[in-house]
Amino acid sequence: MLIAEFHLSTPVLRDALAAAPEVTADLERTVEGETSRLEFFARGDDLTRFEDALADDGSVEDVRVLGEGPDFRFYRATLAPETTRRTVYHVFEDTGARPVSASGDHTGWNVRVQFPDREALAAYRDSCRERDVSFTLHALYERADPRAEADEYGLAGDQGAV
């Protein structure tokens, strides 16, 4: 299995993150269906400015605050139809890839995805290009199946030592 770390420039939350460059958005989950929804944490010093800009960000609709703390807010938002057409999330399902993490800021999104093979990664990259989404690969490495060396308790190597 391959782990790829890459940077994307997508329209998702672009305007809101640009308006509050000290804020980061950490994607918690994406729900695909008739519409695509995001659930994400926003963290940073100026969450008020981010939230004001979020109300005018054309990439999302129906934004709701689900929770908040002193230094974060947790949101659910529906992607606007034009933004949905430009996302490449469906490629994960088509290729068997699994998103691991995604963090966005005013420069774009840093994403980590587990791909079953290089062909799946190439399909994802090609889908980005077709949708005019920049894709910059930062790291690619193979990960051995962690269960292969695990003992009967699921511990590998020194983890089982007391």
Side-chain angles (χ1 to χ4, degrees):
M1 110 184 39
L2 296 175
I3 302 291
E5 296 175 359
F6 50 91
H7 183 84
L8 297 175
S9 292
T10 76
V12 177
L13 304 178
R14 180 183 292 156
D15 294 342
L17 290 168
E22 63 286 341
V23 172
T24 59
D26 295 313
L27 187 62
E28 185 68 17
R29 79 181 190 145
T30 303
V31 179
E32 296 293 315
E34 285 185 32
T35 59
S36 296
R37 287 187 319 202
L38 304 175
E39 291 180 358
F40 62 95
F41 285 93
R43 293 181 172 86
D45 292 334
D46 199 350
L47 292 172
T48 301
R49 185 173 1 161
F50 173 77
E51 192 161 312
D52 290 346
L54 191 58
D56 296 325
D57 190 312
S59 70
V60 290
E61 307 172 335
D62 191 28
V63 178
R64 296 176 188 213
V65 176
L66 300 179
E68 60 185 293
D71 62 347
F72 75 90
R73 289 193 184 127
F74 185 57
Y75 296 92
R76 180 175 54 219
T78 301
L79 289 180
E82 177 58 30
T83 305
T84 299
R85 284 189 284 281
R86 291 197 54 205
T87 64
V88 289
Y89 196 82
H90 70 279
V91 178
F92 294 145
E93 187 174 315
D94 295 346
T95 63
R98 186 179 69 80
V100 176
S101 64
S103 180
D105 63 19
H106 67 283
T107 66
W109 286 85
N110 291 307
V111 183
R112 189 172 189 199
V113 176
Q114 177 181 307
F115 289 95
D117 51 40
R118 289 181 183 269
E119 291 78 22
L121 173 60
Y124 184 85
R125 182 204 59 218
D126 293 346
S127 190
C128 287
R129 289 180 179 161
E130 291 167 7
R131 288 167 175 75
D132 198 28
V133 172
S134 74
F135 174 97
T136 305
L137 183 65
H138 290 295
L140 180 65
Y141 51 94
E142 287 195 56
R143 179 175 162 191
D145 184 355
R147 295 170 290 176
E149 297 176 10
D151 64 16
E152 68 265 33
Y153 301 108
L155 302 175
D158 295 347
Q159 290 179 318
V162 201

